[in-house]
Amino acid sequence: MSNLTFNPVMQSPLHHFNLKTKQQHVDGSKGVWANEMPLLGYISLRGNAQNALFTKAAKKALGFALPILPCSLISTSWGCIYLLSPDEWLLVCDRELRTELQQKLEAALVGIHSQVIDNSGGFTTVFVQGKNASDVLHHCTVYDLNALTIGKVVGTTFGKTSVFLHQHNNGYKVIFRRSFADYIWRYLERSALPYDFGIANLGSS
Amino acid sequence: MFVINCPHCNEPREEEEFHYEGEAFIARPAEPETQTDAEWGDYLFMKKNPKGWHWEMWGHSAGCRKLFVVKRNTANHAIDGAWTLTEARAAYDAEMAKI
Ligand SMILES: [Zn+2]
């Protein structure tokens, strides 16, 4: 038969748009700039926020207390913690950090009713910025972006699918499932057309 | 189109973010195998379907993905309130006791 060996390669779900080759230095020439922040680490953490054992153990493992107010997020030294639901958090970090983070959590939460899942293959993030960034997002979602204050993350609609949205560096981070990446990117590009759209060089941000 | 206050996200959101999940507080028979077909059929299909105030469940499918309870007027879409299942239970029981 074949002598081909199975040699999987890690690719972002927006790989086929070749965003890296199209990216430009961000300036005032476009109304909207966007690019993917590819291949981050995503860990899903579930547990009872009212259980002090759980919150203490998570704090010990993460170095930061879990946000517990509805729709809140905190930035940490290693990434970000989002409260997605009263008993569910999403931890986003550099991909290289995710195994260590997961192991720390699992070790700290032994015997405590909880769940830690590496969901890094399941999500990606797009950063949208520029003077018309909020105009474009208003075409895509039913959420009133004026209510999206700093420190807040909301799950809402994006076209016919759903995303998590929050403010970041004078722009917005859009976090969504890998399976909808193609749809969401095209929707965003199409919505941005009237404002002039550029693929941003995000550098290391 | 209307706006529902999700008790878990603690803010008003567009109806589009939610899914209707049916009448609230329908008790599932504890021992389904002892039910007659008629009783089981009633449990599955016989809903109150009132014109007026209705206790129903909604799911915040695009947001926190939790279920909660809304008291909505089916005639004019007025909403009396939205609560978590636990919070709504007492109010629901009190109202049913009056009928
Ligand atoms: Zn909600």
Side-chain angles (χ1 to χ4, degrees), chain A residues 130-200:
Chain A
K131 60 179 185 288
N132 296 112
S134 58
D135 298 322
V136 170
L137 288 174
H138 271 135
H139 291 302
C140 307
T141 174
V142 296
Y143 192 77
D144 175 11
L145 291 165
N146 297 307
L148 191 64
T149 47
I150 290 169
K152 193 166 163 188
V153 59
V154 298
T156 184
T157 62
F158 192 108
K160 64 168 178 155
T161 184
S162 60
V163 298
F164 296 105
L165 269 179
H166 72 94
Q167 276 205 53
H168 174 75
N169 285 352
N170 293 320
Y172 299 91
K173 271 194 199 172
V174 189
I175 303 170
F176 48 91
R177 277 177 291 284
R178 170 183 194 100
S179 49
F180 271 100
D182 182 87
Y183 171 80
I184 285 175
W185 182 263
R186 288 178 199 274
Y187 203 118
L188 187 72
E189 235 177 12
R190 179 65 189 82
S191 309
L193 217 58
Y195 307 98
D196 232 352
F197 181 60
I199 316 287

Side-chain angles (χ1 to χ4, degrees), chain A residues 85 87 142-143 152 155-156, chain B residues 11 13 16-17 62 64 66:
Chain A
S85 179
D87 56 7
V142 296
Y143 192 77
K152 193 166 163 188
T156 184
Chain B
E11 68 175 355
R13 300 289 187 92
E16 217 179 306
E17 291 187 9
C64 61
K66 292 281 177 209

